[in-house]
């Protein structure tokens, strides 16, 4: 599949989220507790924060799709992606595997040792072709002391709601795969 194939007729904007599935090898948070995805080794499994973001965005796709296309790209085999999506109840996300390609590396969603990174990229299709419009490069900048990285957090509804509360994001909460789906 080509990048141009991810644009639907009438849309000139494509947002691509690079899902860390498989997760970063240093992430030791628990994996799925049930379903076929629970059979994957921890390092083969999905990233908890990426999963939390996609849980939230699945419902937003109906509102977004008339204005922009959204695609989730991961290095996991497509069978793993589709199985996990069904287990999570995702119905609207378009999932693609980039196994065997350089797509993630080309768009800074993979570091030299091959570890994945959760990068968000925006592409624009115009008369002169498809151009990279924006990328979440803040991922590669150090966060302010006591702060979470803000590379893709601006599109995450739960974090945005926490930011409006007196306690804020709090130091003791982190996304887990089993917080909402047992």
């Amino acid at each position: 599949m080509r990048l141009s194939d991810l644009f639907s007729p009438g849309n000139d904007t494509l947002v691509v989220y690079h899902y860390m599935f498989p997760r970063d090898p240093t992430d030791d948070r628990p994996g799925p507790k049930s379903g076929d995805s629970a059979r994957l080794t921890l390092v083969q499994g999905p990233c908890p924060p990426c999963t939390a973001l996609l849980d939230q965005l699945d419902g937003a796709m109906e509102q977004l799709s008339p204005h922009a296309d959204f695609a989730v790209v991961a290095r996991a085999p497509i069978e793993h992606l589709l199985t996990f999506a069904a287990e999570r109840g995702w119905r609207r996300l378009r999932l693609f595997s980039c196994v065997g390609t350089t797509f993630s590396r080309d768009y800074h969603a993979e570091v030299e040792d091959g570890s994945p990174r959760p990068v968000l990229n925006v592409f624009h299709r115009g008369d002169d072709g498809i151009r990279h419009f924006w990328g979440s490069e803040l991922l590669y900048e150090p966060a302010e002391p006591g702060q979470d990285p803000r590379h893709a957090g601006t599109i995450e509804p739960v974090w945005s709601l926490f930011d409006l509360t007196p306690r804020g994001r709090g130091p003791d909460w982190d996304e887990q795969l089993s917080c909402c789906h047992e």
Side-chain angles (χ1 to χ4, degrees):
M1 180 169 279
R2 300 170 49 90
L3 184 64
S4 59
D5 296 331
L6 302 181
F7 287 85
S8 63
N11 276 343
D12 63 1
T13 303
L14 170 65
V15 180
V16 176
Y17 182 69
H18 295 267
Y19 184 19
M20 291 189 356
F21 189 172
R23 67 174 61 202
D24 184 287
T26 63
D27 185 347
D28 62 356
R29 286 173 282 200
K33 292 183 178 184
S34 62
D36 288 337
S37 298
R39 295 185 188 134
L40 298 173
T41 65
L42 193 59
V43 75
Q44 291 175 315
C47 164
C50 292
T51 299
L53 173 63
L54 295 175
D55 282 345
Q56 296 166 65
L57 294 179
D58 181 62
M61 292 302 108
E62 262 186 69
Q63 302 299 319
L64 179 66
S65 63
H67 309 283
D69 290 303
F70 188 87
V72 178
V73 176
R75 293 182 354 203
I78 193 66
E79 299 81 22
H80 293 182
L81 285 167
L82 295 177
T83 296
F84 190 63
E87 291 169 358
R88 294 303 282 191
W90 297 339
R91 299 185 336 236
R92 296 177 184 94
L93 295 171
R94 296 185 315 147
L95 304 169
F96 301 92
S97 174
C98 63
V99 169
T101 74
T102 61
F103 186 73
S104 288
R105 183 174 295 270
D106 293 346
Y107 288 99
H108 306 289
E110 183 180 315
V111 293
E112 266 191 51
D113 71 1
S115 297
R117 292 295 170 259
V119 172
L120 188 70
N121 284 293
V122 178
F123 297 90
H124 181 263
R125 178 176 59 185
D127 293 337
D128 60 343
I130 297 173
R131 302 282 181 242
H132 186 256
F133 179 78
W134 182 86
S136 58
E137 292 96 357
L138 281 176
L139 172 67
Y140 294 102
E141 290 298 318
E144 295 292 323
Q147 296 292 313
D148 293 306
R150 297 292 203 258
H151 59 94
T154 56
I155 67 166
E156 192 161 358
V158 169
W159 286 113
S160 296
L161 287 171
F162 283 160
D163 289 343
L164 300 174
T165 66
R167 186 165 176 238
R169 296 183 183 201
D172 58 347
W173 185 82
D174 192 17
E175 297 103 335
Q176 300 292 323
L177 290 175
S178 63
C179 71
C180 304
H181 300 280
E182 293 296 327

